[in-house]
Amino acid sequence: MSTPAPPGRVTIKDVAAAAGVSKGAVSLAFNNKPGVSEATRERIFAAARRLGWAPNSAARSLSRQSVDTVGLALCRPARLLGLEPFYMEFISGIESVLAEHDCSLLLRLVGSLEEEITLQERWWRERQVDGSILVDFHRDDPRIGPLRRLGLPAVGVGHPSLTGGFPSVWTDDATAVAEAVRYLAALGHRRIARVGGPADLGHSGIRAQAFERTMDELGLGGGRHVETAFSGEEGARATRMLLLGADRPTAIVYDNDIMAVAGLGVAAEMGVSVPDDLSLLAWDDSQLCRLTHPTLSAMSHDVHGFGAEVARVLFDVLAGQEVPSRPVATPSLVPRGSTAPPRP
């Protein structure tokens, strides 16, 4: 039978009463000190969760002389992470700032957001991290409530509408999508498709809405979307499906560079000339986009600098500063050989 939360502000005394222990035992449990059994520790944590209580993060930070470790959990397959230039650049930017502070990055791959919640809770309660960077927010992200109740100092990488009150840093994807669509329309394209990520992934949803809105504003209808999980295989499959359709697009916008490169390969396989018959535009400009033939037009921004800014914001949070959420940059269009006016 669960213990109801007392009226007003919940205190350590309330948690101790709910767990049937002393206030000192609660303190020992949350500071990962000896003196309480594992069963008692779990009972204390369960009572704290029921009451929505977490130790004050500012008070805890007083006992720390410096920031030693920052956590980052990524919910994606290890194989895909190794192929994806974005996260390699992003992490290198984070590391560049951590090195200035003699601080380490604790990186883990998880299979689900629920697994990440459990991981972040363990990291914080066992004092393995001083704070975390949260990425890939979903609509109604399940991490927000538990991690805010935990008192975890964190920065959300995503639009404030997704990050649930965590200080956030993001790129203005909606404006960038509008620029990409308007550019292709100005070249003369009227059948423009988008190969995006999962619909419930926050930044993918923002891009999808901006794509549809801009297409409507230009009188081109809502445009056609194909959802993927960002892999090259799925990018190839989506491209093949679009090119085999009755109303084949003359231009495709991809949500990452890996899928755009795969799409270019499918076009060659099907005898579709790029850019004469089909224009392709990638998100997140990388070395991949410059090594293809023809080279890929792309939406570009400083991913390394983005990661560095996220790390700086986290250090401001850990220092107790009020940190306003803010966009870091708007990706800008880099036209290359894969885009051109459609054939008459």
Side-chain angles (χ1 to χ4, degrees):
M1 179 175 175
S2 63
T3 304
R9 184 176 180 181
V10 178
T11 67
I12 189 172
K13 182 179 178 181
D14 299 319
V15 175
V21 298
S22 68
K23 291 192 296 182
V26 176
S27 179
L28 290 173
F30 274 91
N31 285 288
N32 198 34
K33 298 290 186 182
V36 292
S37 68
E38 192 58 36
T40 301
R41 191 186 306 274
E42 287 305 316
R43 191 166 76 250
I44 291 169
F45 289 162
R49 283 194 294 269
R50 288 198 304 271
L51 297 176
W53 181 86
N56 182 277
S57 59
R60 288 180 62 151
S61 68
L62 294 177
S63 65
R64 302 182 182 204
Q65 298 302 312
S66 62
V67 178
D68 295 318
T69 308
V70 167
L72 173 63
L74 299 177
C75 185
R76 58 190 57 230
R79 182 179 61 84
L80 179 58
L81 180 65
L83 295 172
E84 194 169 30
F86 173 85
Y87 267 116
M88 295 298 98
E89 279 292 302
F90 182 73
I91 291 171
S92 74
I94 293 172
E95 288 278 17
S96 70
V97 174
L98 298 189
E100 296 171 3
H101 294 264
D102 196 23
C103 180
S104 300
L105 180 68
L106 181 55
L107 174 65
R108 279 284 299 276
L109 302 183
V110 295
S112 68
L113 297 181
E114 289 70 26
E115 184 181 340
E116 181 179 348
I117 293 169
T118 301
L119 175 68
Q120 295 281 4
E121 288 177 339
R122 187 173 76 250
W123 278 351
W124 181 240
R125 285 176 174 144
E126 295 180 358
R127 306 187 76 170
Q128 295 186 49
V129 300
D130 297 87
S132 286
I133 295 168
L134 306 176
V135 299
D136 287 342
F137 279 84
H138 289 240
R139 297 174 185 169
D140 302 317
D141 197 290
R143 295 171 293 178
I144 292 170
L147 298 188
R148 285 187 64 81
R149 287 191 296 271
L150 191 67
L152 174 73
V155 171
V157 180
H159 192 272
S161 64
L162 302 168
T163 57
F166 282 109
S168 57
V169 183
W170 77 98
T171 57
D172 187 356
D173 288 3
T175 298
V177 167
E179 180 185 4
V181 173
R182 291 183 183 281
Y183 164 71
L184 292 171
L187 290 177
H189 293 279
R190 295 296 176 265
R191 299 192 305 279
I192 304 171
R194 174 178 170 271
V195 176
D200 66 337
L201 189 60
H203 70 263
S204 187
I206 288 172
R207 294 178 190 179
Q209 291 171 6
F211 178 80
E212 292 173 1
R213 183 172 59 249
T214 307
M215 292 286 286
D216 280 335
E217 289 171 357
L218 295 172
L220 303 178
R224 187 174 179 188
H225 295 266
V226 181
E227 296 175 14
T228 73
F230 294 121
S231 69
E233 292 85 355
E234 293 204 22
R237 188 179 303 113
T239 304
R240 195 172 290 111
M241 183 178 70
L242 288 168
L243 295 183
L244 289 172
D247 198 20
R248 192 171 83 185
T250 62
I252 304 175
V253 180
Y254 294 86
D255 251 15
N256 70 8
D257 44 5
I258 295 174
M259 294 194 297
V261 171
L264 182 62
V266 168
E269 161 201 313
M270 297 179 66
V272 176
S273 175
V274 176
D276 295 333
D277 300 321
L278 177 68
S279 285
L280 304 180
L281 195 153
W283 202 277
D284 290 329
D285 188 21
S286 71
Q287 190 68 19
L288 282 179
C289 297
R290 296 184 285 275
L291 292 175
T292 60
H293 181 75
T295 53
L296 285 167
S297 297
M299 303 306 296
S300 177
H301 65 105
D302 181 2
V303 178
H304 182 278
F306 184 31
E309 183 62 17
V310 168
R312 292 189 194 102
V313 170
L314 180 58
F315 276 101
D316 289 343
V317 170
L318 292 169
Q321 299 181 25
E322 287 293 327
V323 180
S325 296
R326 59 185 182 272
V328 171
T330 301
S332 57
L333 177 68
V334 180
R336 295 198 182 98
S338 67
T339 49
R343 281 179 172 170

